[in-house]
Amino acid sequence: MKLKKQVTVCGGAIFCVAVFSLYLMLDRVQYDPARRQNSGNFPRSQISVLQNRIEQLEQLLEENHQIISHIKDSVLELTETGVGAPGAQLPYRNPNGSWVVPFDGRPAFLSVSPQDCQFAHGRRGHKTDLQMLDVYSLLNFDNLDGGVWKQGFEITYDPGEWDSEPLQVFVVPHSHNDPGWIKTFDKYYSDQTQHIFNNMLVKLQEDPRRKFVWSEISFFAKWWESADSQKREAMRRLILGGQLEMVTGGWVMTDEANVHYFAMIDQLIEGHQWLEKNIGVTPRSGWAVDPFGHSATMPYLLKRANLTSMLIQRVHYSIKKHLSATRSLEFMWRQAWDLESGTDIFCHMMPFYSYDVPHTCGPDPKICCQFDFKRLPGGRVNCPWKVPPRAIVEANVAERAYLLLDQYRKKSKLYRSKVVLVPLGDDFRYDKAQEWDQQYLNYHRLFDYMNSHPEMHVHAQFGTLTDYFDAVYKANNVAQGARPPSYPVLSGDFFAYADREDHYWSGYYTSRPFYKNMDRVLESHLRGAEILFSLALAHSRRAGMQGRYPTSDYTLLTEARRNIGLFQHHDAITGTAKEAVVIDYGVRLLRSLVGLKRVIINAVHFLILRNKDNYHFYQTEPFLETDERRATQDSLPQRTLIELDSTPRFLVLFNPVEQERLSLVTVLVNSARVRVLTEEGQTIPVQLSAQWSSISEMSNDGYQATFAARLPALGLAVFQLYDSFDSSLTLHSDTVLRLNGHKLALRSLDPLPLRSLPADQNTFYIHSQSLQLGFSGTTGLLERIKLKDDQQEVKLQMEFLIYGTRPSKDKSGAYLFLPDGKPKPYTQKEPPVVRVEEGPLFSEVVASYQHFQLSVRIHNLPGVDGLSLDITTMVDIRDQANKELAMRLVTDIQSEGTFFTDLNGFQIQPRRYFKKLPIQANFYPMPSMAYIQDSQHRLTLHTAQALGVSSLDNGQLEVILDRRLMQDDNRGLGQGLKDNKRTANMFRILLERRASINKVQDSQPVSFPSLLSHMTSVFLNSGVLALPVLPKKGGIPPLRSFAPLSGTMPCDYHLLNLRTIQSQKEEQVPSPDAALLLHRKGFDCGLEAWNLGFNCTTTQGKLSISGLFQGLDVQSIHPMSLSLMYAGAPLSNGSLIRLDPMEISTFRLRLR
């Protein structure tokens, strides 16, 4: 009875709070002249102001209706969990052995507007001319010999076809410069790239008809830094005059398989911002000749950056042949979720094997090679087809011109317009003045002859990429970027890539996973540092203290942006560079990680001080310590040890997620008598566990203290840690070693218990409030899972497998995956030692094998972190030769050959297992997640690093963890993969019940994660940072938590970045403006809705930016193109913005 009374009181209190909050919100939207004064002057009419106010009011009323409608459910939930019951502050055990941990009892609800569910469910009738999944089903992949064009077919034409409309030929000179591959970025620059720029400057000025395109801004910026003002001005004239075109304009030509969309966008912004500041030019066309397969995310990002056209090259030869046969190599590339044409971008696919000169003038490489004048006799490069080029002179120009025109005509027959594109270049070309003369002078003689003979019906010239695209649009009588009549619309992606035979480039999805993981850690730190730096800068301006805040940290941010951008290059994150180059990338990443931690620490220092007058920045005396340290670029992180005594040690936790978060936080302390207090002084439960020096030995180097923390969105929370005798809320992990016949030395650490048991074959279990997991008594590997409220267990079996490589001929290497057949089960002579650790906040099973250690942990929490399995595989295969280690999940899910992988963490691409293709062709990149499903369940494998994934049988998901290969795979690297590291791969496994099934929807070429799945991915990739405050002689000034958001963001919104923009006047100095990048996620409502642990509402895409940040005024808001190159009309201060599902938008804000 007493409990019911308490629950009633609690429910009443919640109701009062909801009503009072409605009153405050109504008050908030009232017109306040003083606020308008502080927020800058905005052009607006009284009617639009009134409309905005009404919209805000409607939104707030709807939110509060949803809040009140959920109070009853929340109260019932409080009753079930016993929160508020006498003595419920101490964790206790249920009769079944599972722990119950009382939390703050704050109600949390999920309230999704029905209209927001329609996006994922309303996809019927959506059809493009070319859907890549259907193309894959259609093709035989038979690799027939096509004659001179080995992978194609014979091309014929009628010589009179161009009589009425002459052929237009655009020859586009280019030089592909890898920012690291065989040599490091700096070595390439000093040996070759700087000479390309210096010769370019001279040679393009010699003749205005000469053209060139350049892509990698990383190299161009390095040249610019050392160029004098005269050279800079000359180069600027060439660009603005249209002789030199900057194509794509990213910091690098990014990989498209392993990269996360945060980093894809960031390197694009970095390149575009550099071009805007230094040249004043905006790229119009995309150029991607070397990424090993192409993602559908890239056209979306280029379209959002206001580029109008794009070019791609590395696509499976069978797909190229199919599109060539139907003259569909040029198409409008549309996103799979787009029911109209808003995401369309014009795309040109190159038809032949490579982007080098022998494979670009036409179908016959033997002839095209004769027109690569760098290969003239006497040079270092020759033609493999044994027919060398000949210099063009009066005696041979006619014969040579007709021979070349025949290739141009044949190539043009593969396209729908009478305009043909002929790239002229290769890797690191044009580094010597002689080549510029050889190519340009000989081609001008050919062009002059062609153009002066009208009977040839051709006009040939040098051009830029945009010159070509403009001619195509003009020939079709459409505007730039518009769809020419009858041109096809295509959706889907171009993975996996094969360049010949069964040589699929699916190995690089996993190659060097240590650095793929490190990259993701850097991205999370960069985003966190950007957001905190922007907020600290704005608050320091508001407090009139901008002169005291270390704006010099902007230099560290810029360096990190550029080093992370460099690593997105298609030979960096891919794991396909030389060993010395990999070390160079690693050193750069580690240096930036250290710099980013410093930026974060300096921002946190300012933001958590209760009284900002106490703020003093000293470069040599940081206020906080870092959470962890890496000794070298290739070592795993080690937690910082926090020394405790009877005086409080303050700990600041940073939540980089835009939603409130309830998560477990683990810190390393020197005392077992640790006590943790919240900012309000409330003692909270702690689970004390050991650090392990081996599977059976506890380390003497400290204790792990784990506690649950509720953290504000994008905010900072302050906790206190003591060494205290009064530690009734410090509970010890109970650890059992299942020895399986091993005679191991056990080492415990007082007061933590350690027991050993002879293992048996019976299944053993660990529990949480949401999950029950069953493990094999023999292998220690997961076998089954049961969700809360389910009566039946679900099969979820983990297996480890070994792939070999082919015994003869071509073998697997850094790029290629060429297995010797199906994988074999991983076996070792001795059974594994298994450690089972149980406690009130988490339970964990660790199985120790010779080449890997598998940890499966569950969190005893409500909300996102408590609903998935936390998986870590510590892999070390350094003693293996030509072996690849895979982890397979085996379930009873009837997936029937269909599985789903993400593209760049941005969107989901359905896949099918094709028996007609070899194993390696059925692997795909998995940057953030993959799932299988049937009518009852969906099983998602979330990952914290990009790896290769497949589903080779019904109900299975399989991921390659690491690969060690002893030979080169003949793609230019000249090395195997022998520099493996001890690597921690991190995953989350999420099993969801499907609540509503729609077979039509399931067959569509598009799919979406649930909101829970989205949040699980974000939590995994954006870990909480735990920063200890360093002790000070004079004591610590008063601290307080920092919550930057004034309300909750809609939970289908992701704040992708808040990136301080560079000053246009000074180098390495921040401007008062920041770029706010928002992504509204598409999600599937057809999965059972769980309590996410925070209040989750959707608003049909509406958001008020002006009221987003607490304690700051938004002085101006400008909608921008993705990379800030184009500005829209400024928004009024009270405006609501609205994003469509899947939309990414950028806004330029001035905060104060």
Side-chain angles (χ1 to χ4, degrees):
M1 196 62 161
K2 190 172 180 184
L3 176 60
K4 284 188 178 176
K5 279 184 184 176
Q6 286 177 323
V7 169
T8 306
V9 170
C10 182
I14 295 166
F15 182 80
C16 293
V17 167
V19 173
F20 184 60
S21 67
L22 177 60
Y23 168 75
L24 289 177
M25 288 177 184
L26 291 172
D27 187 55
R28 189 178 81 186
V29 298
Q30 297 304 307
Y31 180 63
D32 180 355
R35 181 181 171 114
R36 181 187 170 187
Q37 223 168 7
N38 292 337
S39 306
N41 296 313
F42 295 86
R44 55 187 175 181
S45 68
Q46 289 299 318
I47 293 171
S48 68
V49 171
L50 190 58
Q51 278 181 324
N52 284 332
R53 298 294 179 205
I54 290 168
E55 279 190 28
Q56 280 184 294
L57 193 56
E58 286 174 346
Q59 183 184 341
L60 295 167
L61 282 166
E62 185 180 345
E63 284 177 14
N64 278 274
H65 173 73
Q66 290 164 347
I67 290 169
I68 292 164
S69 71
H70 282 271
I71 286 172
K72 182 180 174 185
D73 294 340
S74 301
V75 171
L76 287 172
E77 195 171 310
L78 294 180
T79 311
E80 284 175 16
T81 57
V83 172
Q89 290 309 303
L90 280 172
Y92 61 92
R93 282 199 162 192
N94 271 332
N96 69 355
S98 65
W99 283 89
V100 176
V101 184
F103 290 100
D104 51 22
R106 198 179 308 177
F109 58 81
L110 176 65
S111 179
V112 176
S113 166
Q115 292 93 326
D116 291 329
C117 292
Q118 288 171 5
F119 177 72
H121 291 276
R123 307 282 94 196
R124 293 176 197 176
H126 168 52
K127 191 72 179 166
T128 54
D129 303 304
L130 294 163
Q131 216 305 314
M132 288 313 300
L133 207 53
D134 295 338
V135 172
Y136 258 77
S137 300
L138 181 73
L139 297 184
N140 292 324
F141 296 93
D142 46 12
N143 195 22
L144 301 175
D145 190 330
V148 294
W149 177 19
K150 298 290 285 182
Q151 297 170 330
F153 46 82
E154 185 184 356
I155 304 172
T156 58
Y157 61 84
D158 174 359
E161 282 185 45
W162 293 273
D163 288 0
S164 59
E165 185 184 344
L167 181 65
Q168 295 182 69
V169 179
F170 288 89
V171 174
V172 179
H174 70 99
S175 179
H176 179 64
N177 282 235
D178 293 301
W181 181 38
I182 306 300
K183 304 176 187 178
T184 66
F185 172 74
D186 288 334
K187 188 81 170 114
Y188 269 138
Y189 177 78
S190 61
D191 288 359
Q192 288 158 283
T193 308
Q194 65 168 329
H195 306 303
I196 298 171
F197 289 128
N198 290 332
N199 287 316
M200 180 192 298
L201 199 58
V202 174
K203 294 298 178 180
L204 289 183
Q205 290 183 91
E206 288 178 359
D207 189 335
R209 297 175 299 170
R210 295 179 177 182
K211 301 288 183 85
F212 206 84
V213 296
W214 187 266
S215 174
E216 299 81 8
I217 303 304
S218 49
F219 275 128
F220 192 68
K222 189 171 177 66
W223 177 84
W224 189 268
E225 283 170 16
S226 60
D228 59 34
S229 58
Q230 199 175 351
K231 283 184 175 179
R232 288 181 177 186
E233 193 48 46
M235 189 67 88
R236 191 182 282 116
R237 279 197 304 272
L238 288 171
I239 295 170
L240 297 178
Q243 275 186 268
L244 172 61
E245 182 183 10
M246 292 294 163
V247 283
T248 306
W251 200 245
V252 296
M253 186 186 291
T254 175
D255 170 49
E256 298 183 27
N258 303 289
V259 291
H260 194 273
Y261 77 114
F262 168 86
M264 293 174 82
I265 293 170
D266 206 67
Q267 65 84 32
L268 192 66
I269 291 175
E270 192 60 29
H272 285 188
Q273 287 286 282
W274 190 94
L275 286 172
E276 182 184 53
K277 177 182 167 67
N278 293 285
I279 310 292
V281 68
T282 54
R284 284 178 47 199
S285 302
W287 171 268
V289 293
D290 203 25
F292 323 135
H294 294 280
S295 165
T297 305
M298 199 67 193
Y300 179 75
L301 300 183
L302 296 180
K303 174 79 173 182
R304 297 299 294 169
N306 270 25
L307 277 73
T308 52
S309 322
M310 63 184 294
L311 172 147
I312 59 175
Q313 149 60 20
R314 288 195 185 269
V315 172
H316 194 298
Y317 60 86
S318 290
I319 292 170
K320 286 192 172 195
K321 180 179 177 178
H322 173 72
L323 296 181
S324 297
T326 55
R327 295 200 305 156
S328 300
L329 289 164
E330 287 182 330
F331 49 85
M332 303 305 290
W333 199 345
R334 181 177 297 172
Q335 296 306 304
W337 71 80
D338 182 7
L339 293 176
E340 297 172 352
S341 58
T343 61
D344 287 11
I345 186 170
F346 187 83
C347 182
H348 171 102
M349 183 187 293
M350 294 169 63
F352 306 126
Y353 173 77
S354 172
Y355 55 82
D356 62 5
V357 182
H359 296 94
T360 47
C361 88
D364 191 342
K366 180 179 178 180
I367 293 173
C368 290
C369 195
Q370 298 171 46
F371 294 90
D372 183 358
F373 295 103
K374 184 185 169 78
R375 302 180 196 240
L376 283 165
R380 294 174 61 185
V381 193
N382 55 33
C383 282
W385 296 269
K386 310 297 185 192
V387 184
R390 283 184 277 158
I392 305 301
V393 293
E394 196 171 338
N396 68 12
V397 65
E399 178 264 328
R400 296 274 93 189
Y402 272 101
L403 184 66
L404 183 58
L405 177 60
D406 177 61
Q407 290 298 305
Y408 288 167
R409 286 175 168 181
K410 285 175 175 173
K411 184 174 184 178
S412 79
K413 288 295 290 177
L414 305 179
Y415 294 89
R416 299 189 182 208
S417 76
K418 293 185 178 178
V419 186
V420 67
L421 173 68
V422 183
L424 183 72
D426 202 344
D427 292 0
F428 295 94
R429 281 298 190 90
Y430 300 93
D431 60 339
K432 301 216 168 27
Q434 183 186 15
E435 184 183 358
W436 288 84
D437 293 335
Q438 288 170 332
Q439 304 285 25
Y440 282 94
L441 295 175
N442 281 294
Y443 269 97
H444 269 309
R445 290 175 193 135
L446 289 162
F447 295 164
D448 289 346
Y449 183 86
M450 289 177 181
N451 298 341
S452 62
H453 286 74
E455 71 277 9
M456 296 182 80
H457 300 290
V458 63
H459 182 78
Q461 62 191 341
F462 288 116
T464 64
L465 184 59
T466 297
D467 289 340
Y468 166 75
F469 282 128
D470 284 349
V472 172
Y473 297 135
K474 187 176 179 183
N476 283 284
N477 200 26
V478 296
Q480 288 174 13
R483 179 184 177 186
S486 81
Y487 275 55
V489 175
L490 178 146
S491 67
D493 70 335
F494 297 102
F495 292 117
Y497 165 59
D499 58 349
R500 59 179 187 256
E501 300 166 18
D502 61 353
H503 292 192
Y504 284 83
W505 296 43
S506 50
Y508 81 96
Y509 303 155
T510 292
S511 296
R512 293 183 168 123
F514 179 91
Y515 294 98
K516 287 175 163 67
N517 178 269
M518 191 178 184
D519 166 73
R520 203 60 65 80
V521 171
L522 263 290
E523 287 173 33
S524 175
H525 276 75
L526 176 60
R527 178 176 167 275
E530 296 273 19
I531 292 168
L532 288 173
F533 179 81
S534 297
L535 290 171
L537 209 56
H539 280 279
S540 70
R541 279 197 296 268
R542 188 173 180 86
M545 298 176 68
Q546 57 265 53
R548 289 165 61 182
Y549 188 79
T551 53
S552 57
D553 280 0
Y554 191 70
T555 307
L556 295 173
L557 272 180
T558 302
E559 183 190 25
R561 291 168 178 172
R562 293 178 177 183
N563 281 335
I564 294 167
L566 195 71
F567 196 69
Q568 307 315 305
H569 162 55
H570 57 263
D571 281 306
I573 192 170
T574 52
T576 56
K578 289 267 194 192
E579 289 176 13
V581 179
V582 173
I583 292 169
D584 182 64
Y585 287 134
V587 168
R588 288 171 181 271
L589 291 177
L590 180 59
R591 187 171 70 232
S592 288
L593 183 59
V594 171
L596 288 170
K597 286 183 184 293
R598 195 171 114 195
V599 175
I600 289 169
I601 281 169
N602 290 341
V604 170
H605 177 193
F606 182 81
L607 293 169
I608 60 167
L609 286 178
R610 190 175 293 276
N611 181 358
K612 302 294 187 249
D613 292 336
N614 291 327
Y615 177 73
H616 297 285
F617 170 71
Y618 300 109
Q619 189 77 44
T620 55
E621 293 182 30
F623 189 74
L624 303 106
E625 285 186 278
T626 56
D627 54 328
E628 59 186 27
R629 293 180 176 85
R630 293 178 187 240
T632 59
Q633 57 88 20
D634 58 354
S635 58
L636 292 167
Q638 300 296 319
R639 280 199 178 99
T640 299
L641 180 69
I642 303 174
E643 302 273 356
L644 299 182
D645 56 30
S646 57
T647 57
R649 279 296 304 269
F650 291 94
L651 180 71
V652 181
L653 302 181
F654 170 47
N655 170 25
V657 178
E658 63 282 327
Q659 299 293 345
E660 186 183 74
R661 177 177 190 166
L662 182 62
S663 286
L664 292 185
V665 176
T666 299
V667 292
L668 186 63
V669 295
N670 67 328
S671 170
R673 303 178 306 191
V674 59
R675 185 178 174 197
V676 179
L677 279 70
T678 63
E679 187 181 0
E680 294 79 23
Q682 179 190 353
T683 303
I684 55 176
V686 175
Q687 181 170 334
L688 194 75
S689 56
Q691 277 217 116
W692 295 87
S693 52
S694 73
I695 187 66
S696 62
E697 295 177 309
M698 294 182 179
S699 167
N700 293 318
D701 295 337
Y703 300 87
Q704 296 194 102
T706 302
F707 58 95
R710 189 180 287 278
L711 307 172
L714 295 174
L716 305 164
V718 180
F719 290 80
Q720 300 172 50
L721 278 66
Y722 290 89
D723 183 344
S724 167
F725 286 104
D726 177 20
S727 53
S728 58
L729 279 171
T730 301
L731 298 116
H732 302 155
S733 290
D734 183 29
T735 307
V736 174
L737 283 174
R738 301 170 61 89
L739 291 176
N740 277 316
H742 289 271
K743 291 185 170 58
L744 289 178
L746 307 189
R747 186 171 71 205
S748 61
L749 183 64
D750 188 56
L752 296 173
L754 176 61
R755 298 177 290 126
S756 65
L757 290 174
D760 56 44
Q761 294 185 2
N762 295 331
T763 303
F764 64 93
Y765 292 89
I766 58 174
H767 309 81
S768 71
Q769 59 180 271
S770 303
L771 300 167
Q772 174 183 292
L773 306 184
F775 294 81
S776 161
T778 310
T779 66
L781 301 180
L782 183 65
E783 287 195 325
R784 56 196 66 173
I785 179 173
K786 189 161 85 74
L787 300 176
K788 177 188 178 184
D789 303 331
D790 263 9
Q791 297 305 310
Q792 293 294 316
E793 290 183 328
V794 176
K795 178 182 176 182
L796 178 50
Q797 207 168 320
M798 295 182 89
E799 299 174 351
F800 286 81
L801 311 156
I802 291 285
Y803 282 95
T805 191
R806 292 178 178 176
S808 60
K809 228 179 144 197
D810 299 295
K811 293 181 167 65
S812 297
Y815 301 93
L816 304 184
F817 180 34
L818 296 171
D820 58 353
K822 291 185 177 180
K824 298 170 180 61
Y826 176 90
T827 56
Q828 62 182 37
K829 291 176 184 175
E830 302 291 328
V833 178
V834 179
R835 189 172 71 225
V836 183
E837 195 168 336
E838 294 183 88
L841 296 175
F842 72 86
S843 294
E844 179 176 56
V845 175
V846 180
S848 181
Y849 286 80
Q850 184 183 345
H851 295 103
F852 64 91
Q853 185 170 286
L854 172 71
S855 158
V856 179
R857 178 180 287 208
I858 48 176
H859 298 166
N860 199 17
L861 285 177
V864 175
D865 273 343
L867 295 168
S868 58
L869 288 61
D870 204 338
I871 310 291
T872 303
T873 59
M874 190 66 73
V875 176
D876 190 347
I877 58 169
R878 287 177 289 183
D879 65 351
Q880 296 289 288
N882 282 328
K883 295 286 189 284
E884 308 194 29
L885 180 66
M887 178 177 76
R888 181 182 284 174
L889 305 178
V890 183
T891 73
D892 288 328
I893 291 171
Q894 299 302 303
S895 54
E896 297 176 346
T898 298
F899 60 111
F900 304 81
T901 67
D902 76 294
L903 293 172
N904 316 106
F906 174 62
Q907 59 182 312
I908 299 296
Q909 175 64 49
R911 309 288 186 191
R912 289 194 201 118
Y913 171 70
F914 289 107
K915 285 184 179 176
K916 64 186 174 185
L917 293 174
I919 288 173
Q920 62 269 25
N922 283 291
F923 272 81
Y924 294 94
M926 176 183 64
S928 73
M929 71 175 79
Y931 55 82
I932 53 174
Q933 64 184 22
D934 61 14
S935 60
Q936 292 183 296
H937 291 100
R938 175 183 290 179
L939 182 83
T940 307
L941 178 67
H942 291 275
T943 181
Q945 58 286 306
L947 296 167
V949 74
S950 188
S951 175
L952 299 177
D953 210 338
N954 190 35
Q956 294 184 1
L957 267 181
E958 181 174 316
V959 59
I960 307 290
L961 298 175
D962 201 358
R963 45 206 317 263
R964 183 170 171 81
L965 303 160
M966 311 316 285
Q967 62 283 312
D968 181 45
D969 52 8
N970 300 310
R971 292 305 183 275
L973 180 60
Q975 282 184 349
L977 283 179
K978 297 186 268 189
D979 57 346
N980 301 71
K981 317 294 180 201
R982 189 163 168 265
T983 300
N985 290 318
M986 290 175 286
F987 308 95
R988 293 274 178 94
I989 295 176
L990 178 65
L991 181 68
E992 297 174 280
R993 286 186 289 252
R994 297 190 76 192
S996 62
I997 310 304
N998 181 327
K999 288 193 175 178
V1000 175
Q1001 180 197 338
D1002 281 358
S1003 66
Q1004 294 294 316
V1006 64
S1007 185
F1008 300 94
S1010 65
L1011 279 172
L1012 170 59
S1013 191
H1014 276 307
M1015 293 311 301
T1016 301
S1017 182
V1018 169
F1019 278 28
L1020 173 61
N1021 284 282
S1022 305
V1024 174
L1025 290 188
L1027 307 168
V1029 176
L1030 285 161
K1032 299 283 183 290
K1033 287 178 185 174
I1036 306 295
L1039 308 177
R1040 68 172 179 192
S1041 293
F1042 170 70
L1045 301 184
S1046 56
T1048 57
M1049 282 186 75
C1051 51
D1052 56 347
Y1053 263 75
H1054 176 49
L1055 194 151
L1056 195 58
N1057 211 344
L1058 182 63
R1059 187 187 205 267
T1060 294
I1061 296 169
Q1062 65 188 0
S1063 166
Q1064 287 296 311
K1065 296 172 185 172
E1066 300 175 74
E1067 287 293 326
Q1068 305 293 335
V1069 173
S1071 76
D1073 293 351
L1076 174 68
L1077 282 86
L1078 296 171
H1079 173 206
R1080 185 181 171 204
K1081 299 188 174 186
F1083 61 92
D1084 187 346
C1085 298
L1087 293 113
E1088 189 172 278
W1090 292 86
N1091 178 345
L1092 299 178
F1094 59 86
N1095 293 343
C1096 170
T1097 59
T1098 63
T1099 58
Q1100 295 169 53
K1102 295 175 196 161
L1103 179 71
S1104 168
I1105 293 182
S1106 58
L1108 189 60
F1109 297 102
Q1110 190 165 264
L1112 292 171
D1113 288 322
V1114 180
Q1115 295 186 307
S1116 62
I1117 312 171
H1118 281 85
M1120 305 292 289
S1121 61
L1122 181 66
S1123 59
L1124 300 155
M1125 298 288 261
Y1126 299 86
L1131 300 178
S1132 63
N1133 199 17
S1135 294
L1136 281 174
I1137 62 156
R1138 186 183 179 281
L1139 266 56
D1140 291 325
M1142 296 304 295
E1143 182 179 340
I1144 303 174
S1145 282
T1146 303
F1147 301 88
R1148 187 175 186 130
L1149 306 185
R1150 182 162 295 183
L1151 297 171
R1152 189 179 177 90

